[in-house]
Amino acid sequence: MRTSTFLSVAAALTSSVSATVYQGFNYGSTFTDNTAKTQADFEAEFTAAKNLVGTSGAFTSARLYTMIQGNTVSDPIQAIPAAIKEKTSLLLGIWASGGQAGVTNEIAALTAAITNYGTDFTDLVVGLSVGSEDLYRVSVTGLINDPTGVGADPTTLVEYITQVKTAIKGTALANVPIGHVDTWNSWTNSSNNAVIDAIDWLGVDEYPYFQNTVSNSIDSAYDLFWEAYNATAAAGGGKPVWITETGWPISGKTENLGVPSLANAKTFWDEIGCASAFGKVNTWWYVLQDAAPTTPVPSFGLLGSTTSDATLGTQQPLYDLSCANVSLPASLLSSPSTATTSGATATRTGSTSGTQTTPGSAGSTGTGTGSGSGTSGTSSSQSVSPSTKANGASTVAASSMFLACALFAGAALF
Ligand SMILES: *[C@@H]1O[C@H](CO)[C@@H](O)[C@H](O)[C@H]1NC(C)=O
Ligand SMILES: *[C@@H]1O[C@H](CO)[C@@H](O)[C@H](O)[C@H]1NC(C)=O
Ligand SMILES: *[C@@H]1O[C@H](CO)[C@@H](O)[C@H](O)[C@H]1NC(C)=O
């Protein structure tokens, strides 16, 4: 049992190393005041990502939460023509917590985009996620962190996945890998296995900062991160696991031992991004810039908060993003987490994980620059999630945006 678990983890890692490895950011569809991002706004973001000082043009992929242009019923999101212009690859998202009507509109936007933009669009698509943290929002922890959270249960998600597959059959996106994005402890909850069976890849949102029920100082972040990744890979039984959101905030509330700061955000970038994930696992970081005009708390933006496309174009990162001379500290290099297999197995046993909250995705409505914002809601005790908001669809209230994903566990994962 342990052996097969281990092999499946190894298989998942191997398969994500073999092909092109994508690297990019998450992009919401609206600003925190609910105005919709336009094509020009997306172009400014995609350009800023490619020109991000210190990163040598590596950030050329965009993960979206919705197919729908903000404040429309079912128009294709203007991130698509922006991506075509900027040659930015796309991890598409269908917002799946807006009920059947919302998903029907998402599918209408998807099919309209295929028709309107043709292969200029479809050639850029690296994957399509049906849903974002929908299972987390209706989990025990999700509801503790946000009792008003709206999600979707596994049966409903599988139905939506089937609808999306039917909609793309016979189109240029017929072979696009279909996935779902959720928190790691949603993936390890076997009640959700039907979703895993229905998809080609698992997207995992991981924020050790929010794992406030375990020892989650920045010094533990590397191990917490990879334990959660490995647990997801084991649950996935060999299907690839993509890192769809991760990051460490520069400011905001302290979550147990997780302290937001520039220094800690840089350490997280160096250890998780530079030294281990970038170039090896498809990764969409959270986040290029904070949502605006209201800066979210906590703040995850590499560029801080920007207020206009022009400012964005000249913004310097808040800390050094160069991976050139980055290597893992000796303490991590010698730890089982980077060791070979046998050591790794040993570590996992007994690991705990705690609550991880994700900034994640938020709510339903859409949003933001990704980040979610702090705008609404939040009563602060919950761990807020910066996350993302998604879609512009109207359905849910913007205020439910914070997700926090707490992933807990306690139980040995392997
Ligand atoms: C496990 O998943 C099911 C189905 O999504 C959910 O109802 C349940 O609350 C989850 N369990 C926990 C402990 O979150
Ligand atoms: C990396 O280290 C070398 C040798 O110390 C130095 O010359 C170079 O400027 C460094 N590169 C960066 C991007 O910091
Ligand atoms: C995760 O799995 C990889 C591959 O098996 C292993 O090398 C690594 O040590 C594991 N990390 C942790 C923290 O368990």
Side-chain angles (χ1 to χ4, degrees):
M1 182 66 172
R2 263 190 201 172
T3 304
S4 64
T5 297
F6 172 71
L7 290 174
S8 63
V9 171
L13 287 171
T14 306
S15 59
S16 47
V17 175
S18 51
T20 304
V21 180
Y22 297 96
Q23 199 167 315
F25 291 107
N26 286 272
Y27 297 92
S29 66
T30 62
F31 296 101
T32 51
D33 59 7
N34 272 333
T35 56
K37 286 186 195 168
T38 62
Q39 179 177 340
D41 296 322
F42 287 114
E43 280 178 22
E45 289 193 303
F46 298 164
T47 305
K50 289 192 294 188
N51 294 335
L52 193 59
V53 174
T55 66
S56 311
F59 287 81
T60 55
S61 194
R63 174 183 169 228
L64 307 177
Y65 296 92
T66 178
M67 292 305 306
I68 302 175
Q69 174 61 14
N71 300 326
T72 74
V73 174
S74 59
D75 292 354
I77 190 166
Q78 289 175 21
I80 294 170
I84 292 169
K85 193 154 173 221
E86 299 303 328
K87 299 187 170 40
T88 293
S89 68
L90 292 168
L91 172 51
L92 301 176
I94 295 272
W95 190 254
S97 287
Q100 179 64 67
V103 171
T104 299
N105 288 333
E106 289 280 348
I107 291 173
L110 172 65
T111 47
I114 295 169
T115 305
N116 298 352
Y117 298 109
T119 53
D120 288 348
F121 161 52
T122 56
D123 287 351
L124 292 172
V125 179
V126 305
L128 193 168
S129 177
V130 180
S132 179
E133 299 191 6
D134 312 84
L135 298 169
Y136 162 73
R137 285 191 295 277
V138 296
S139 70
V140 171
T141 313
L143 290 169
I144 289 170
N145 286 326
D146 182 1
T148 67
V150 176
D153 64 32
T155 307
T156 303
L157 279 176
V158 169
E159 166 60 23
Y160 294 158
I161 290 164
T162 303
Q163 291 175 12
V164 170
K165 286 180 176 171
T166 302
I168 60 178
K169 202 167 280 178
T171 75
L173 286 185
N175 296 321
V176 75
I178 303 285
H180 168 74
V181 170
D182 228 297
T183 59
W184 71 267
N185 60 350
S186 295
W187 288 125
T188 56
N189 175 347
S190 59
S191 299
N192 296 323
N193 281 355
V195 176
I196 296 176
D197 293 341
I199 56 179
D200 303 310
W201 56 272
L202 290 71
V204 66
D205 290 353
E206 288 193 38
Y207 295 90
Y209 159 73
F210 284 114
Q211 289 185 256
N212 58 16
T213 63
V214 295
S215 181
N216 66 333
S217 72
I218 190 64
D219 295 338
S220 302
Y222 177 87
D223 282 335
L224 288 177
F225 182 92
W226 289 107
E227 279 167 15
Y229 180 92
N230 286 0
T232 302
K239 294 187 179 181
V241 176
W242 298 355
I243 300 165
T244 39
E245 289 182 30
T246 194
W248 190 281
I250 57 152
S251 63
K253 150 176 191 274
T254 293
E255 293 284 352
N256 191 25
L257 302 181
V259 180
S261 71
L262 283 172
N264 290 347
K266 175 168 168 48
T267 297
F268 193 82
W269 174 268
D270 286 351
E271 293 180 358
I272 307 302
C274 295
S276 46
F278 295 160
K280 301 190 182 80
V281 183
N282 291 342
T283 303
W284 288 269
W285 203 261
Y286 193 87
V287 65
L288 176 65
Q289 65 166 340
D290 285 318
T294 310
T295 303
V297 180
S299 159
F300 282 78
L302 299 180
L303 297 176
S305 274
T306 53
T307 51
S308 73
D309 295 346
T311 319
L312 179 60
T314 58
Q315 204 92 353
Q316 292 293 310
L318 298 178
Y319 47 92
D320 181 8
L321 302 179
S322 169
C323 292
N325 289 332
V326 170
S327 54
L328 286 176
S331 58
L332 293 177
L333 279 173
S334 60
S335 86
S337 57
T338 50
T340 49
T341 46
S342 49
T345 310
T347 324
R348 286 190 232 124
T349 316
S351 68
T352 46
S353 42
T355 303
Q356 165 174 341
T357 319
T358 291
S361 0
S364 35
T365 324
T367 50
T369 316
S371 22
S373 61
T375 342
S376 16
T378 52
S379 44
S380 57
S381 58
Q382 58 207 49
S383 333
V384 183
S385 271
S387 232
T388 351
K389 324 177 104 263
N391 77 56
S394 46
T395 0
V396 188
S399 50
S400 52
M401 327 213 125
F402 282 2
L403 312 197
C405 319
L407 313 191
F408 40 140
L413 298 172
F414 291 81

